[in-house]
């Protein structure tokens, strides 16, 4: 029996891992994102799919530690000074969004016929967006560290803080609520737990990690990192507060520690696995029976709650001077309910404010809204037209007549311009990044706004008179379009093109540009030569080696242009070992001189050529 129990548990673990491994790459390949993949996999193996898990709540309780560790890592990136700089976003933008959306969603609950206390808690639960979903989407979009990403993090922090007073309100609204003395006692315990955590973080954690570092035991440091995360979460839970909030505070307190990067590296694998497990558990928790019985009510609830919350988010974003596209992006990210809604709804159920039917419908509404969020973000990226660029203070290219035209004025174009300007050539410069144009003006450059892929813009930029056109953009597809337009409309101009990589350089040679250079080639050559000199190689020898490397590269590139990317492989020096024969060869007679090895690797001459 014991063996059967172990086997059953192992089957569940394998099914969890297998569902994630299969679903997530598939959904990401389809462009639907990893979050929706986890949700679908959880639904497939849950009670209403294959039935491998009959009690998804038990998995959800364990998986919540993924959110806890996620908040700890976010805290590690949030130094106290950085948090102070975000105070306006946290307590201004965050409070405004929670307050307005809460009021609007409470009104929706009243319209649905709920009593005011139940409508309030149902609406406020939906206000608390999913930290896990939003942060995962921000990470996949690479926007966590952008100003918009920081505003999103600030709102999430305020929403996590809001769970504390909301749980207290749920206790006060209970028909058989506790006495006010008990409520004040709970508040005092929570405050004491926060104070204790701050004190431990300030005076105990750094000395503890210094002592453990002296032991030079990696597994002990990993165990200590987990102890800090889970211990702080446990302390907050004992105080009646949010576990995620405790982990976040611990991360903030260690954000300026010299062990910050070590802690992040130790926690990251656990965070990733448990966060994926959290999304799987949410998918399992979707009660298809309730959806089938109450499909009309749940569908209307999802639409109404998401639409009303989206309206509130958009209004607050515009009040805080966000651009329209930024506001719409925030709507797509935040218009769902989140994991803390389950906590609040459970408290409302135990307090008698919700009955089982309201709890089931509200929970299903939240889960479906979380599943819809990745689809909303995908639709936003695909179908929302880009916001028009403001050209205030920027001159549009028109009537330029420089002897040379530079298209793209990033790091590469800026350096390339120096030789031309030093010789006294007249140079016209166009760029599509308004911020870069403005920054260049501060350093004495006159850069005009212009899209080099459009023939009329090239004509207005002086390509018709220019002797040379320097294409210095950092995007391969854009570069190829500019080359095609220039060759068709301005065949007299010599094209000098920044190549993205070797394959791009080969394509440029084949279409007949006058000159191309891989964007990292010369800097890498100089770097390698400097290393040789730094390691004691004589200057003359280092120069000869560099010339030989350059000659081999040119010869290989010629062969590749005539054939394919695999041609000329014998001209590349590698460090892969030469396979040894299965039968050891008979040693040569000692009297016979050994031929010098001719391979260009780092293996000894005994391996021959």
């Amino acid at each position: 029996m014991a063996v059967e129990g172990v086997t059953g548990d192992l089957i569940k673990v394998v099914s969890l891992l297998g569902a994630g491994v299969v679903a997530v790459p598939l959904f990401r390949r389809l462009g639907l994102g990893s979050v929706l993949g986890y949700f679908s996999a959880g639904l497939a193996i849950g009670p209403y799919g294959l039935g491998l898990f009959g009690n998804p709540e038990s998995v959800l309780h364990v998986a919540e530690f993924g959110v806890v560790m996620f908040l700890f890592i976010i805290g590690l990136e949030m130094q106290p000074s950085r948090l102070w700089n975000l105070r306006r976003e946290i307590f201004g933008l965050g409070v405004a969004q929670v307050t307005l959306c809460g009021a609007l969603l409470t009104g929706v609950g009243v319209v649905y016929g709920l009593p005011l206390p139940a409508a309030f808690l149902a609406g406020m639960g939906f206000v608390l967006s999913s930290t896990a979903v939003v942060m995962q989407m921000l990470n996949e979009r690479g926007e966590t560290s952008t100003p918009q990403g920081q505003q999103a993090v600030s709102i999430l922090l305020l929403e996590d803080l809001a769970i504390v007073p909301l749980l207290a309100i749920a206790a006060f609204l209970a028909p058989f609520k506790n006495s006010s003395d008990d409520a004040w006692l709970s508040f005092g315990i929570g405050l004491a737990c926060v104070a204790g955590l701050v004190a431990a973080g300030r005076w105990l954690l750094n000395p503890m990690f210094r002592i453990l570092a002296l032991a030079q035991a990696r597994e002990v440091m990993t165990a200590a990192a987990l102890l800090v995360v889970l211990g702080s979460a446990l302390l907050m839970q004992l105080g009646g507060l949010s576990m995620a909030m405790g982990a976040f505070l611990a991360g903030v307190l260690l954000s300026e520690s010299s062990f910050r990067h070590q802690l992040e590296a130790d926690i990251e694998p656990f965070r990733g696995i448990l966060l994926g497990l959290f999304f799987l558990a949410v998918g399992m928790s979707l009660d298809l029976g309730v959806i089938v019985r109450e499909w009309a009510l749940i569908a209307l609830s999802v639409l109404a709650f998401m639409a009303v919350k989206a309206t509130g988010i958009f209004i607050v974003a515009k009040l805080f001077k966000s651009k329209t596209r930024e506001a719409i992006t925030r709507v797509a990210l935040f218009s769902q309910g989140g994991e803390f809604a389950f906590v609040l709804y459970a408290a409302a159920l135990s307090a008698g404010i919700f009955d089982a039917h309201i709890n089931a419908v509200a929970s299903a509404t939240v889960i479906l809204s979380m599943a819809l969020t990745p689809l909303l973000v995908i639709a936003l990226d695909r179908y929302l037209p880009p916001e028009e660029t403001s050209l205030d203070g920027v001159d549009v290219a028109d009537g330029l007549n420089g002897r040379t035209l530079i298209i793209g004025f990033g790091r590469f174009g800026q350096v390339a311009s120096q030789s031309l300007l030093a010789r006294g050539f007249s140079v016209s410069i166009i760029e599509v990044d308004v911020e870069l144009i403005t920054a260049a003006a501060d350093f004495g450059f006159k850069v005009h706004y212009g899209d080099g892929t459009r023939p009329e813009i090239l004509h207005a930029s002086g390509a018709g008179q220019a002797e040379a056109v320097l294409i210095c953009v950092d995007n391969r597809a854009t570069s190829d379009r500019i080359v095609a337009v220039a060759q068709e409309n301005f065949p007299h101009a010599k094209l000098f093109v920044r190549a993205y990589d070797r394959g791009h350089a080969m394509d440029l040679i084949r279409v007949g540009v006058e000159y191309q250079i891989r964007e990292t080639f010369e800097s890498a050559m100089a770097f390698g030569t400097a290393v040789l000199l730094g390691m004691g190689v004589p200057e003359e020898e280092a120069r000869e080696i560099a010339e030989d490397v350059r000659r081999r590269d040119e010869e290989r590139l010629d062969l590749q242009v005539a054939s394919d990317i695999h041609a000329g492989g014998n001209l590349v020096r590698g460090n892969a070992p030469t396979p040894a024969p299965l039968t050891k060869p008979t040693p040569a007679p000692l009297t016979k001189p050994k031929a010098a090895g001719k391979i260009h690797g780092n293996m000894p001459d005994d391996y021959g050529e």
Side-chain angles (χ1 to χ4, degrees), residues 125-130 309 334-339 341 365-366 369-370:
F126 202 88
V127 165
L128 305 179
S129 306
S130 173
K309 185 178 180 183
F334 280 87
S335 57
Q336 87 290 122
E339 53 272 9
T365 300
V366 169
S369 71
M370 293 170 70

Side-chain angles (χ1 to χ4, degrees), residues 291-573:
I291 293 177
V292 170
R293 292 192 302 271
E294 303 284 355
W295 68 269
L297 176 61
I298 292 174
L300 285 174
S301 298
V302 171
L303 291 174
F305 274 69
M306 292 187 73
V308 170
K309 185 178 180 183
T311 302
I313 294 170
F314 187 83
I315 292 172
V316 171
K318 295 303 291 182
L319 288 175
F320 279 77
K321 311 298 184 186
S322 293
K323 296 179 180 178
T324 299
R325 185 178 177 85
E326 292 174 5
I328 295 176
T329 301
R330 193 176 302 160
V331 164
L333 288 172
F334 280 87
S335 57
Q336 87 290 122
E339 53 272 9
F340 286 127
F342 306 137
V343 178
L344 186 61
Y345 292 166
L349 180 64
S350 63
I353 301 171
F354 279 9
D355 58 27
H357 178 261
I358 294 175
N359 183 57
V361 171
S363 297
T365 300
V366 169
I367 293 173
L368 287 174
S369 71
M370 293 170 70
L372 286 173
T373 297
L375 297 177
L376 286 176
V377 174
I378 292 170
L380 170 73
D381 290 338
R382 289 186 180 177
Y383 302 114
L384 185 68
E387 197 162 27
E388 291 187 6
T389 304
S390 173
L391 299 180
D392 292 342
V394 175
D395 292 332
V396 177
D398 186 21
L400 305 183
N401 57 4
R403 188 174 175 184
T404 57
L405 171 62
I406 297 178
I407 305 172
F409 203 61
R411 292 169 296 173
F412 190 94
Q414 292 165 20
V415 175
S417 71
Q418 293 302 289
S419 298
L420 300 172
L421 294 170
R423 182 61 176 79
F425 289 153
S426 57
V427 177
S428 299
I429 307 171
I430 61 172
E431 170 62 57
V432 293
D433 188 332
V434 173
E435 292 184 2
L436 199 153
I437 294 173
T438 304
D442 296 334
F443 292 91
F445 292 98
K446 181 59 180 179
V447 182
H448 291 79
Y449 180 84
D451 181 358
T453 62
R454 297 167 56 186
E456 69 274 16
I457 298 298
L458 287 182
H459 180 76
S461 302
Q465 303 88 253
E467 297 177 27
V469 176
L470 285 62
I471 302 174
C472 302
V473 298
D474 61 358
N475 181 279
R476 175 173 179 169
T478 303
S479 176
D480 289 342
R481 287 199 298 272
I482 298 173
V483 167
V485 171
Q487 287 182 326
E488 180 180 354
N489 295 276
F490 310 102
H492 69 282
K494 297 178 180 179
L495 299 184
F496 297 80
V497 188
R498 168 190 184 178
Y500 176 75
D501 56 16
R502 194 175 196 88
H504 190 203
M506 292 162 54
D507 292 341
L508 293 171
I509 293 172
R510 287 168 180 154
V511 299
V513 302
E514 276 71 18
Y515 179 82
Q516 51 68 39
I517 185 169
R518 278 115 65 199
E519 56 189 23
T520 59
F521 180 74
E522 288 297 338
S523 57
M525 287 294 302
F527 187 86
T529 302
V531 173
L532 291 177
L533 295 174
M535 297 182 70
V537 176
E539 184 175 353
E540 181 66 20
E541 184 181 353
R543 184 180 60 78
E544 291 176 357
I545 291 173
E547 290 176 355
D548 181 62
V549 171
R550 194 183 299 276
R551 178 186 58 78
R552 286 170 171 268
D553 183 84
E554 291 175 356
E555 184 178 345
R556 179 181 170 223
L557 187 61
D558 289 340
L559 292 172
Q560 289 174 320
V561 171
S563 179
D564 59 30
I565 193 70
H566 302 291
N570 60 313
L571 295 168
V572 181
R573 292 180 170 88

